[in-house]
Every structure is written in structure tokens, then in C-alpha cells.
Amino acid sequence: MAKLFYRLQRFLRRTQFVFLFLAAAYLMAGSVVLLQRSGFALQTGSRGTSSFLPVPSLGTVTKGALLDTGMVGSGNKLDSQALVSRLDGPVNGEVLGRRNGPRWLMSRNLEIRQLRRRWFHSLMTEQEPRVERKVVKRKVKHKGTYVGCFLDDSKERALKGTVFYDFRKMTSSLCQDTCSESGYLFAGLEYGAECYCGNRIAAPKTREEDCNLDCKGEKGSMCGGVGRLSVFKVEDLHPGARKYRNVHYRGCFRRPKNSTAAFRVHAIQLNLTSESCIELCSDKELPLAVLRRPECYCGYTSTHFTLHEKADEQRCGGVTNASDVTGDVTTRLTGDEGYVMVYQTPVKGEPSVGRWAPRASLHVKKRPECYCGYTSTHFTLHEKADEQRCGGVTNASDVTGDVTTRLAGDEGYVMVYQTPVKDTRCTERTFLPEKSQMLVGLSSFPGAGNTWVRHLIELATGYYTGSYYFDGTLYNKGFKGEKDYWKSGRTICVKTHESGKREIEMYDSAILLIRNPYNSLMAEFNRKCAGHLGYASEQHWKSKEWPDFVSSYSSWWASHVLDWMKFGRRLLVIHYEELKRELFPRLREIVDFLNVTASDEHLLCVESNQDGNFKRTGAKLRHFDPFTVEMKSLIDGYIKTVDDALRNSNFSGLPGEYVPR
């Protein structure tokens, strides 16, 4: 029996060596066949060592074909001596000498990689190939005018206007349409998924072949490259419309004491209009146009000019609404219904028949109505009213453009307009340079505004936020940390909706975001029915799903807050409503909690970009309350419980607008 086991053991040992020998022989034979098919013959040297001899047809290929990508990318001419220095190998059929050390291994690997590539793609020829650059031919025609390929640096952007991302559906047309709608002249695409807008190209041109990446949503369409921007001059979507459409009136503010320090551009124009001031600031790629005729200022929000204290509109002449600009932005004025503004036209002569005279000497206006005619017993112009009755116009004798270009207002106040230009001082983001040892959570109930707060945190800190989940929609829109492992330590904080002792204790600290449960429930129901940016339809609200949703989710809203207060190690409680009202001080609290340094001007930039890309659009049901009396009674009870728990734990209670409802 012992002899049998001994023979079996010897047989297994021999079998291992046989298998090892066969595997090595198979690999060697395969390598020889590969080299022979590539045009090389394997010969034996004088000492038994193998040497590669290029066949005559490949004697010249060694000079042109065996180049690494770095040498080809340089665009420089290479002679035979350069190739010898680069490859340490034969030229024109010379036999390779001894090669010792890593350089020989690297050269050999380079040759084998190149030979495999050439054999696989059947690119062997008997003629000497020409090393030349070929611009990739694109099959997709662009709607705008292609300008060229430009360098782009994260610290100094080629186009300094609006930026947006779409890592799934970005196309050249989408980028150009977005930039055109915002009033920009140029659109640039980078990395196949990033779109930049601007009115000036502040970077040098580079080689066309560097812009070699396809758009994520359109194969064959050029979308820049790595650090390279494909720039187009956009076509105006509405040729007959005003040049700058997305202009918003920010309000009337006190003029800063030091205008030179507060603003970067200052211009004086006797016939200045709001539109010309906005156009000037947009061309200078500055987000704020500040007007006090005849002076126009352009700049950013800063510690000298924060836009935190809005003044009465009458201080600036009675402008009440200029968000929908048509012609001059001061077209809507306050005024009593029973009063009209009267202008003397250049026309002189006898009265014509009819109320609407084709040639009349008086122009009488009360928006949206306009009357033309003469003085008469019905309209004598003998009793002049206070100018404030018509909206505060004090002097319109020297009319340029719209006759309401000069408005009443105190000398120390200015009108402020938001141009289409985006404040890009705080838009650059990256992953943490070093892995963080602290895991910080951003916890909230679904629908509490977690995505919006992540947007604010990324802008305020300059670092990406992570997520316990993976939402492809958020990743495609620029939340790059969404795809990162939530425990990687590369993100500033991690989004979570989880509750429970084990899930909470995984975090060293957390920001607990709380929102009014009524609004949270509606927001989450909208997301479930219509996605991140849509609204649920009336049929959804009237379905049986809505009462069941409220019954289960309202208790979750309360338990989520209570669990984090009970098991959380270090908490910062942020109320969504207070963050909306007092963004700047609440952002300062968040940044300090995350132990990140941010200047006041940086946070003011965040304040200017607070909306982000995730505001809901579409048809919102107005004056619609989907909550029944029973639902309100249930939710109000949970609100009372959470409010008491917060106060007992030395936190501020829930905002007063939560109840009653």
C-alpha cells in the first residue's frame, strides 16, 4: 500500500513539471509565430542568444513606424540618429547588439507592442510610410460657425461665461443653443460633456487634432479634448429679439461709498440707457450692471457691495418690475390708474377727424394703452398732477430711446441688473487632494433640498460631495462625486437619507438638513412621479397613491430627525427655510463646520450662483393644496414632536411657518 502511494506521489510531481513545460512551450511558440507573421525572422547569434533581424521590407519602417505617441504628438521631424537614440536599436538592417538593463526591456516592449498593433490592423506595407497628422473627419454638420480649437485652463478659462455639464446627452447644438439663449457670442465644448459660454476668447489657438473627443450625446460631433476647447460662434435663436434676453432686475440699492473699489468698470454716457449699460457689462463679461445716469458701473458682488440690504424702489425712481426687459429695462413704472403721461410730439397743425389722429401733436400714454390727439375742452392740460401719480418721471424733455430714461430718485442710490454673464469666481471644483480621515454626512429626508445644498457646498468649498447612493441623473449634470465610492475619503461630505443606529454611527459628524414636512412630502412625490425637475400631474395627486404616500412618509420624516439627534455624534442642524432667507450667514456656518476656509467674496459668489441646474420646470399647479384635514392633523402632530425634541437637545426649534397650516 505504501508503494502505491509513493508511485502516485512521483507521478503527480512529474505531471506538474509536464504541464509547466507545455505551457511555456505554447507561449514561446505563439510569440515566434506572431513575430514571423509580422515580418521578422528569429535567428541565433554566435553565443546562442536571440537577435531580431528586420527583413528588407521593414528596414525603413523602423524609422517611421516604431514611434511612441509622445514623439508623434510633438510634431517634430525625426532623423535616423534620433531613432537610434530613442530605441537603442538597429537602423537600416543593422544587427542589434547586446542590450542590458531596463532600457532594453522598455525598447523591446515598445517594438513588440507596435508590431502587434501593426499586425492586428493589417497596416504592413512595402513602402516607407509617411508620418503625418490627419485631422479626424467629422460626419456631423454644426449649426454655428466653427472658430477653432483653443487651449483651456481651469485657472484661466478661455470662455468665462456660463458653464454647464451633461455627461450623457451633451451635443454641439445643445451647447450652442444654451449659450445663444443666454446672450453669448461663443460656445465651447470640452471633454465631450462640458459646455462653456462667453463673449471673448481669452486663450491661444492650438492644433485642430488636439480637439479629438466626440460629444457624449452625438458621435462624430467634435466636443473638444483634454484641456482643449472646440469653439463655435453661435447663431441667434431669435434674430428679431433683443440681444440680451436673460436680464434680471435685482433692485434698488444704496450706492457704495467707494465706487472705484467696488466696481471694475466705470463709464459715463450722457444719453445712457439701462440697455446700453447692460450691454457694456455683458461685453466686459461682468455679472452686474449698476446704473445711476449718466454713470454705468460693472462688476461683481463684494464686501463693498453685497446686495444684502435692498432699498425702497422709489429711491431709484419707482421701478417695480424689470425682469422681463423689452427695449429699455425701465418700461414698467408705478402709477395710479386714473392718471396718464403726456408728451408733446414734433407734429404741428390742425386737428384731424377721429379719436386716433394719423398726425397728432399729443402722445398720451398709460400702459398698456396709448392715445394720440390734441388739447380740447375734454383734455385741457390746465391741471397738472404730481409726477409720482405716473410713476416718478421728473424730466423727459431730452428723450433718447424710451422716453422714461430719466427717473426720479435719490442721488445715493443705484439700480442693479443681473446680466446673462455668470459669476465664475467660485465654479471650479475638484476632489480632496488628500484622503480625509473624517466621514461627514449630509443627511436629510427625501425632498428636503439635499441636491440644492450639495450644489451650495460644492461651490462654497471647491470640493465635490459624495453620495451613499448612485444617481446617474445627478452625475450627468456635473455631480462627479456621485460616482465615487462613498467611503473613498475624496469628497467633502456624503449625501444620505438613511436613518437607524448602525447607519448613523458610521459618520463622524453630519449636517442635518430639515425642511417643512408639507413641502418635503410634495417635493418627493413630484420626484417620484416626474423626476428631479418635473411636477406631478393632477391625476397623480388625486390617485390612491398619494394618501398612502403621506401616511408612510410623514412618520419617516419625524423618525429620521429623531434618530439622527439620538445617535449622531456631532451635528449641525440647518433648516431649509432659514437657508433660503439667510443664505450668506448659514453658508458661513456650514463652511466652518466642514473646516474649510472661504472668503466673504467667495461666499458672495456662491450667493450669486445659488439656483444651480436643478430647479423644477413645467406646469406647477397653482393654489393647490393636496392635504386633507386628516393628513394635516397627522403631520402637525409629528411637527410638534420634532420641535420639542430639538429644543430639549439645545437646538433651535422648527421655524414658525411650519404650523399652523
Side-chain angles (χ1 to χ4, degrees), residues 185 190 237 244 301 360 371 430 452 479 487 542 592 601 633-634 648 653:
L185 300 178
E190 187 173 354
L237 293 179
Y244 297 107
T301 53
Y371 302 93
T430 184
W452 178 59
F479 287 90
K487 277 189 175 181
K542 293 181 178 180
D592 292 342
E601 291 202 357
S633 177
L634 177 66
N648 293 334

Short mmCIF file of all heavy atoms in Angstrom, two decimals, residues 185 190 237 244 301 360 371 430 452 479 487 542 592 601 633-634 648 653:
data_model
loop_
_atom_site.label_atom_id
_atom_site.label_comp_id
_atom_site.label_asym_id
_atom_site.label_seq_id
_atom_site.Cartn_x
_atom_site.Cartn_y
_atom_site.Cartn_z
N LEU A 185 -21.92 85.15 -27.39
CA LEU A 185 -21.49 85.09 -28.80
C LEU A 185 -20.80 83.78 -29.14
O LEU A 185 -20.84 83.34 -30.29
CB LEU A 185 -20.55 86.26 -29.11
CG LEU A 185 -21.12 87.66 -28.92
CD1 LEU A 185 -20.04 88.70 -29.21
CD2 LEU A 185 -22.33 87.88 -29.81
N GLU A 190 -15.79 70.91 -24.18
CA GLU A 190 -14.56 70.29 -23.68
C GLU A 190 -14.88 68.95 -23.05
O GLU A 190 -15.95 68.76 -22.48
CB GLU A 190 -13.90 71.21 -22.66
CG GLU A 190 -12.53 70.75 -22.18
CD GLU A 190 -11.85 71.78 -21.30
OE1 GLU A 190 -12.38 72.90 -21.17
OE2 GLU A 190 -10.78 71.48 -20.75
N LEU A 237 -30.88 82.40 -31.70
CA LEU A 237 -32.12 81.63 -31.81
C LEU A 237 -33.29 82.48 -32.27
O LEU A 237 -34.18 82.02 -32.97
CB LEU A 237 -32.46 81.00 -30.45
CG LEU A 237 -31.50 79.91 -29.95
CD1 LEU A 237 -31.95 79.42 -28.59
CD2 LEU A 237 -31.41 78.76 -30.93
N TYR A 244 -29.85 90.84 -25.47
CA TYR A 244 -29.69 90.24 -24.15
C TYR A 244 -31.07 89.98 -23.55
O TYR A 244 -31.77 90.89 -23.14
CB TYR A 244 -28.87 91.16 -23.25
CG TYR A 244 -27.48 91.37 -23.77
CD1 TYR A 244 -27.09 92.57 -24.34
CD2 TYR A 244 -26.55 90.34 -23.71
CE1 TYR A 244 -25.81 92.74 -24.83
CE2 TYR A 244 -25.27 90.51 -24.19
CZ TYR A 244 -24.90 91.71 -24.75
OH TYR A 244 -23.64 91.87 -25.24
N THR A 301 -20.53 91.16 -7.01
CA THR A 301 -20.85 91.39 -5.62
C THR A 301 -19.57 91.27 -4.80
O THR A 301 -18.71 90.43 -5.11
CB THR A 301 -21.88 90.37 -5.11
OG1 THR A 301 -21.41 89.05 -5.39
CG2 THR A 301 -23.23 90.59 -5.75
N ALA A 360 -50.86 113.64 -34.99
CA ALA A 360 -51.34 114.32 -33.79
C ALA A 360 -50.18 114.95 -33.05
O ALA A 360 -49.05 114.49 -33.13
CB ALA A 360 -52.08 113.34 -32.89
N TYR A 371 -52.81 106.89 -26.49
CA TYR A 371 -53.77 107.76 -27.16
C TYR A 371 -53.00 108.88 -27.87
O TYR A 371 -51.98 109.36 -27.37
CB TYR A 371 -54.75 108.38 -26.16
CG TYR A 371 -55.54 107.37 -25.35
CD1 TYR A 371 -55.09 106.94 -24.10
CD2 TYR A 371 -56.73 106.86 -25.84
CE1 TYR A 371 -55.80 106.04 -23.37
CE2 TYR A 371 -57.46 105.95 -25.09
CZ TYR A 371 -57.00 105.53 -23.86
OH TYR A 371 -57.72 104.63 -23.13
N THR A 430 -13.10 70.26 -7.38
CA THR A 430 -12.19 69.13 -7.52
C THR A 430 -12.40 68.18 -6.36
O THR A 430 -13.16 68.48 -5.42
CB THR A 430 -10.72 69.62 -7.55
OG1 THR A 430 -9.86 68.50 -7.78
CG2 THR A 430 -10.35 70.28 -6.23
N TRP A 452 -29.84 70.62 -3.74
CA TRP A 452 -29.55 72.06 -3.76
C TRP A 452 -28.44 72.42 -2.78
O TRP A 452 -27.52 73.17 -3.08
CB TRP A 452 -30.81 72.84 -3.45
CG TRP A 452 -30.59 74.32 -3.40
CD1 TRP A 452 -30.12 75.11 -4.40
CD2 TRP A 452 -30.82 75.19 -2.28
NE1 TRP A 452 -30.05 76.43 -3.99
CE2 TRP A 452 -30.47 76.50 -2.69
CE3 TRP A 452 -31.28 74.99 -0.99
CZ2 TRP A 452 -30.57 77.60 -1.83
CZ3 TRP A 452 -31.38 76.08 -0.14
CH2 TRP A 452 -31.04 77.36 -0.57
N PHE A 479 -22.42 66.45 -10.93
CA PHE A 479 -22.06 66.00 -9.58
C PHE A 479 -21.13 64.79 -9.71
O PHE A 479 -21.55 63.64 -9.57
CB PHE A 479 -23.31 65.63 -8.78
CG PHE A 479 -24.12 66.82 -8.34
CD1 PHE A 479 -25.13 67.33 -9.14
CD2 PHE A 479 -23.87 67.43 -7.13
CE1 PHE A 479 -25.88 68.42 -8.74
CE2 PHE A 479 -24.61 68.53 -6.71
CZ PHE A 479 -25.62 69.03 -7.52
N LYS A 487 -17.17 55.92 0.73
CA LYS A 487 -16.17 55.88 1.79
C LYS A 487 -14.76 56.16 1.27
O LYS A 487 -13.78 55.90 1.98
CB LYS A 487 -16.19 54.52 2.48
CG LYS A 487 -17.25 54.38 3.56
CD LYS A 487 -17.04 53.08 4.33
CE LYS A 487 -18.02 52.97 5.51
NZ LYS A 487 -17.79 51.72 6.28
N LYS A 542 -54.67 63.05 -7.22
CA LYS A 542 -56.00 62.54 -6.91
C LYS A 542 -56.05 61.02 -6.84
O LYS A 542 -57.10 60.45 -6.56
CB LYS A 542 -57.00 63.03 -7.96
CG LYS A 542 -57.23 64.55 -7.91
CD LYS A 542 -58.25 64.98 -8.94
CE LYS A 542 -58.52 66.49 -8.85
NZ LYS A 542 -59.51 66.94 -9.87
N ASP A 592 -17.64 76.60 8.06
CA ASP A 592 -16.87 76.47 9.29
C ASP A 592 -17.01 75.08 9.88
O ASP A 592 -16.04 74.51 10.41
CB ASP A 592 -17.33 77.52 10.31
CG ASP A 592 -16.98 78.94 9.88
OD1 ASP A 592 -16.10 79.09 8.99
OD2 ASP A 592 -17.58 79.90 10.42
N GLU A 601 -16.01 87.15 -0.14
CA GLU A 601 -16.28 87.36 -1.56
C GLU A 601 -16.59 86.03 -2.25
O GLU A 601 -17.39 85.98 -3.18
CB GLU A 601 -15.10 88.06 -2.23
CG GLU A 601 -14.93 89.50 -1.79
CD GLU A 601 -14.16 90.32 -2.80
OE1 GLU A 601 -13.71 89.74 -3.80
OE2 GLU A 601 -14.00 91.55 -2.58
N SER A 633 -53.70 66.94 10.36
CA SER A 633 -53.69 66.61 11.78
C SER A 633 -52.54 65.66 12.10
O SER A 633 -51.84 65.81 13.12
CB SER A 633 -55.03 65.98 12.18
OG SER A 633 -55.01 65.58 13.53
N LEU A 634 -52.32 64.68 11.24
CA LEU A 634 -51.24 63.72 11.43
C LEU A 634 -49.88 64.41 11.36
O LEU A 634 -49.01 64.22 12.23
CB LEU A 634 -51.34 62.62 10.37
CG LEU A 634 -50.24 61.56 10.37
CD1 LEU A 634 -50.30 60.71 11.64
CD2 LEU A 634 -50.35 60.67 9.12
N ASN A 648 -35.28 70.40 23.39
CA ASN A 648 -34.76 69.67 24.55
C ASN A 648 -33.29 69.29 24.36
O ASN A 648 -32.60 69.00 25.35
CB ASN A 648 -35.58 68.40 24.79
CG ASN A 648 -37.00 68.72 25.25
OD1 ASN A 648 -37.25 69.78 25.83
ND2 ASN A 648 -37.92 67.81 24.99
N GLY A 653 -35.59 75.55 17.70
CA GLY A 653 -36.79 74.84 17.27
C GLY A 653 -37.08 75.04 15.80
O GLY A 653 -36.38 75.75 15.08
#
